[in-house]
Amino acid sequence: MNKKLKLFLPMPDGSGNREIEHNGSVVIVGANGSGKSRLGAWIEKNPPEGVIVHRVSAQRALDLPEFAIVKSLEQSANDLLWGNEDPRFANIQHKWGHRWGNRPETHMQNDYGKVLSTLFARNADRDRRHTAETREKQQYVPVPDGPIEKLVDLWSEILPHRALKLEDGKVSVRHVALGQEYHGKEMSDGERVALYLMGQCLCAPPDSILIIDEPEIHLHSSIMQSLWNKLEEAQPDCLFVYITHDLNFASTRISTTSIWIREFDGGNRWSWEVVPEIDEFPESLLLELLGNRRTIVFVEGEKGGKDHSIYQSIYRNHHVVPRNGCQKVIESSRALRLNAAFHHINVFGLIDRDYRTDDEIKGLAESGVHCINVAEIENILLSEEILRLVAKNQLIDPDDVVKRATEMAKKLLENDVMRQVSQRTYRIVEDKLRQINTKIEGLDAIKKSIADSVASINVDVIFEENLVLYTNLVANGNLNEILKYYNNKGLVSSISSIFELGKNGYEKLVLRMLNSDEREDVLAGMKQYVPQI
């Protein structure tokens, strides 16, 4: 990858230009309307001294000609790069009017024929030079690969089910399995755009900046990453600059510099920032977060799952991001908060209470990670407030429902006390062991630190306190107190049997109520058990 080519972007405050550090490729990402294409045009219009910038527009026609027009290499290259065959107009001053029709951001490029003409002209120039060298030396000289050979080889790696041939100014394709050959005009949109992009990149001059606007258009995800990896390898002296709103594509660029375009003022100023490298995040997620203007709440669970639905309903003005387990939530929240200098967003984490102690919960809150006030998110569906709303919806006596649910929860907990006590004891001991001073050095010092920490943990006392807690809940606890400390994934299905709604019927009913006229009442009941963010 070329590290020598310089790339500049205009400073957001209009104070000048800033050089962007890179390892050979840059991805510019932003939402539709954020001025990405206009920024690409700015880069093309303000190239580093002595560097050619070749921009491939997102507005591109994919009509293949029957035959490529035979031209000299100078004519074809000038026409492709500058929009005019005449070398007098092969410069940036005339490029805007000739190549872009004075509409550099929106002009439809209809240059497929120019790409093909340049490919054939380059191969013809290679053949001419090879013939001259062979005659001069009067002996066989190996033939170097031209852009057409490179393109065909690349095609066979990316699309092995179709054999590509470029001969006598014509493009043809053969179906490998069926043996049928047809003109390139009959290729699919994906195949035509792949050929077009390969040709554009392989025709770019050495040591040039290649700007590809919307490189993912019409390309299947299965070939997109491999195609651009191979093209970057084929043009190692070029700087690839991709412009896209597709975060999945952006995340496929390895060791790239990512630029997030936040806003465009409609004139000549862009608000942008370099996406930092944060180990805990896939780049696609990081780009999504940086492009978001709302407070971010990391939660447990998966996207589209029950947890996500509940939290998104409660925090409807925030951006709720599922991160699977609680440890990922904690790591994600801490990582973004530690890198607050790189972004503009507020970040919080939200996790189940599980068997955590008040001290542990307080410590997590100091780093922006909060615990809900029930053992696990499913328990929020069984709170007395929600049960009464569901009972009313089902025309059942709310008092009777709460009474039966409380009795059922106590009965289940009574048979499960020893497991709950043991798990909570393990949890407390584990938390205390994590507090060992890991900065101590030397074998003896480490042994003493561990021994002192273990000696300070009175397992008997911890176990007895937990036994008292759960025994009291069974004897005297109300339903909401039990839900705060009782971890049991089967609790919802057991208690929901009161309503005779079938498997998962109760959960689905509550979630439906979140989209009904009873939404605000349900949310009010749930919000009592989650923190205000």
Side-chain angles (χ1 to χ4, degrees):
M1 293 298 178
N2 192 310
K3 299 182 181 181
K4 296 180 294 182
L5 285 173
K6 293 183 177 181
L7 177 69
F8 295 93
L9 293 182
M11 292 291 288
D13 60 3
S15 60
N17 302 332
R18 172 182 162 185
E19 183 177 351
I20 304 300
E21 295 183 4
H22 63 84
N23 290 318
S25 67
V26 173
V27 177
I28 297 176
V29 186
N32 290 326
S34 60
K36 300 186 301 299
S37 294
R38 292 182 182 274
L39 182 59
W42 183 95
I43 297 171
E44 183 181 19
K45 197 172 185 178
N46 299 273
E49 186 176 356
V51 175
I52 293 175
V53 177
H54 183 49
R55 180 164 61 97
V56 180
S57 174
Q59 307 295 325
R60 46 190 181 244
L62 299 176
D63 297 326
L64 271 75
E66 289 286 346
F67 292 92
I69 299 174
V70 178
K71 300 179 182 180
S72 71
L73 178 56
E74 182 181 29
Q75 284 179 310
S76 61
N78 285 342
D79 200 14
L80 176 64
L81 296 174
W82 309 104
N84 195 297
E85 298 176 2
D86 193 327
R88 293 176 301 169
F89 302 111
N91 54 63
I92 194 69
Q93 287 76 19
H94 296 94
K95 188 178 189 180
W96 242 229
H98 290 176
R99 184 163 192 257
W100 295 110
N102 293 315
R103 293 184 292 111
E105 299 89 2
T106 59
H107 181 65
M108 172 67 76
Q109 277 293 348
N110 191 4
D111 59 353
Y112 216 133
K114 297 179 181 182
V115 172
L116 296 177
S117 291
T118 305
L119 286 170
F120 283 112
R122 286 201 168 188
N123 260 46
D125 185 69
R126 184 275 315 268
D127 295 344
R128 179 185 60 78
R129 292 174 183 273
H130 177 262
T131 300
E133 185 179 4
T134 301
R135 285 179 174 175
E136 179 183 349
K137 294 183 177 180
Q138 292 295 306
Q139 63 182 26
Y140 173 75
V141 177
V143 183
D145 282 345
I148 288 180
E149 287 80 19
K150 293 178 181 178
L151 191 153
V152 170
D153 287 344
L154 177 58
W155 178 281
S156 66
E157 291 186 53
I158 304 300
L159 298 161
H161 58 291
R162 298 287 190 273
L164 181 69
K165 184 168 66 174
L166 282 79
E167 290 182 359
D168 296 328
K170 178 183 176 182
V171 177
S172 58
V173 182
R174 180 173 54 83
H175 191 293
V176 173
L178 302 177
Q180 297 174 344
E181 186 168 308
Y182 52 91
H183 194 282
K185 294 177 67 173
E186 305 303 319
M187 290 191 297
S188 67
D189 285 349
E191 292 168 339
R192 276 182 288 156
V193 78
L195 175 59
Y196 175 80
L197 293 173
M198 290 179 196
Q200 287 278 20
C201 293
L202 293 173
C203 286
D207 298 311
S208 60
I209 296 176
L210 262 170
I211 301 177
I212 316 295
D213 200 347
E214 297 197 30
E216 72 284 352
I217 289 182
H218 296 306
L219 287 178
H220 194 278
S221 58
S222 62
I223 69 168
M224 186 167 57
Q225 180 173 353
S226 180
L227 172 64
W228 290 112
N229 288 346
K230 294 294 183 182
L231 284 172
E232 288 181 24
E233 291 174 9
Q235 290 285 55
D237 296 326
C238 292
L239 167 58
F240 282 72
V241 179
Y242 304 98
I243 297 176
T244 183
H245 62 265
D246 188 329
L247 300 181
N248 289 326
F249 170 79
S251 66
T252 67
R253 300 298 85 217
I254 308 300
S255 300
T256 192
T257 298
S258 297
I259 306 293
W260 180 270
I261 306 297
R262 293 170 55 186
E263 291 179 317
F264 175 55
D265 68 357
N268 205 34
R269 286 193 184 183
W270 293 263
S271 176
W272 57 269
E273 57 192 82
V274 178
V275 178
E277 293 183 8
I278 300 180
D279 293 340
E280 286 79 4
F281 291 92
E283 191 169 8
S284 57
L285 174 60
L286 188 56
L287 289 167
E288 174 189 339
L289 300 180
L290 293 180
N292 167 71
R293 293 191 174 104
R294 295 176 293 168
T295 296
I296 290 173
V297 184
F298 291 114
V299 300
E300 297 182 64
E302 298 179 352
K303 191 168 185 176
K306 175 176 55 185
D307 299 17
H308 187 201
S309 299
I310 293 173
Y311 285 127
Q312 190 65 78
S313 295
I314 296 172
Y315 298 104
R316 51 185 159 179
N317 295 322
H318 299 345
H319 184 43
V320 177
V321 182
R323 293 293 283 146
N324 294 319
C326 64
Q327 195 56 39
K328 276 292 184 183
V329 172
I330 295 170
E331 291 172 358
S332 299
S333 303
R334 287 175 174 170
L336 274 191
R337 281 175 166 259
L338 287 172
N339 288 274
F342 291 102
H343 58 79
H344 55 284
I345 47 183
N346 294 320
V347 180
F348 296 93
L350 203 58
I351 58 178
D352 293 348
R353 183 183 181 92
D354 286 325
Y355 299 103
R356 292 181 173 86
T357 64
D358 291 341
D359 287 341
E360 186 181 358
I361 291 171
K362 182 180 178 181
L364 287 167
E366 291 174 356
S367 60
V369 179
H370 301 280
C371 291
I372 59 177
N373 209 28
V374 287
E376 49 198 19
I377 187 61
E378 290 86 352
N379 286 9
I380 205 171
L381 303 177
L382 300 176
S383 67
E384 182 174 332
E385 294 81 3
I386 302 301
L387 283 175
R388 288 184 177 278
L389 288 170
V390 176
K392 182 180 177 182
N393 177 276
Q394 296 298 103
L395 304 179
I396 303 175
D397 180 10
D399 290 336
D400 182 60
V401 167
V402 171
K403 179 182 177 182
R404 292 171 62 190
T406 303
E407 291 173 351
M408 190 175 293
K410 285 185 176 182
K411 185 65 175 178
L412 290 168
L413 179 56
E414 183 178 15
N415 295 329
D416 201 23
V417 163
M418 196 53 60
R419 185 178 71 87
Q420 296 295 313
V421 172
S422 300
Q423 290 299 315
R424 188 173 174 83
T425 300
Y426 282 130
R427 178 69 194 216
I428 295 172
V429 171
E430 182 182 23
D431 184 53
K432 290 182 178 295
L433 289 174
R434 278 200 297 264
Q435 299 172 22
I436 293 176
N437 186 353
T438 57
K439 296 182 179 180
I440 292 176
E441 298 180 356
L443 179 59
D444 291 338
I446 292 173
K447 286 182 176 180
K448 184 176 185 305
S449 176
I450 294 174
D452 290 345
S453 295
V454 172
S456 68
I457 300 173
N458 193 327
V459 180
D460 290 345
V461 171
I462 296 171
F463 187 89
E464 184 60 31
E465 289 176 348
N466 290 330
L467 183 60
V468 170
L469 169 65
Y470 285 102
T471 301
N472 285 341
L473 286 173
V474 171
N476 306 306
N478 62 40
L479 180 60
N480 288 345
E481 289 173 339
I482 294 172
L483 297 176
K484 182 176 180 179
Y485 295 103
Y486 189 16
N487 281 74
N488 181 352
K489 294 292 184 183
L491 193 58
V492 174
S493 59
S494 296
I495 291 181
S496 63
S497 63
I498 295 171
F499 296 93
E500 299 180 354
L501 292 172
K503 186 177 181 181
N504 300 325
Y506 176 81
E507 294 179 17
K508 293 177 181 178
L509 175 58
V510 176
L511 295 178
R512 284 199 302 273
M513 290 172 68
L514 283 171
N515 294 309
S516 71
D517 294 339
E518 299 170 278
R519 172 188 175 87
E520 295 305 320
D521 291 335
V522 177
L523 286 176
M526 291 181 172
K527 286 180 179 179
Q528 298 181 46
Y529 302 92
V530 298
Q532 290 186 352
I533 294 176

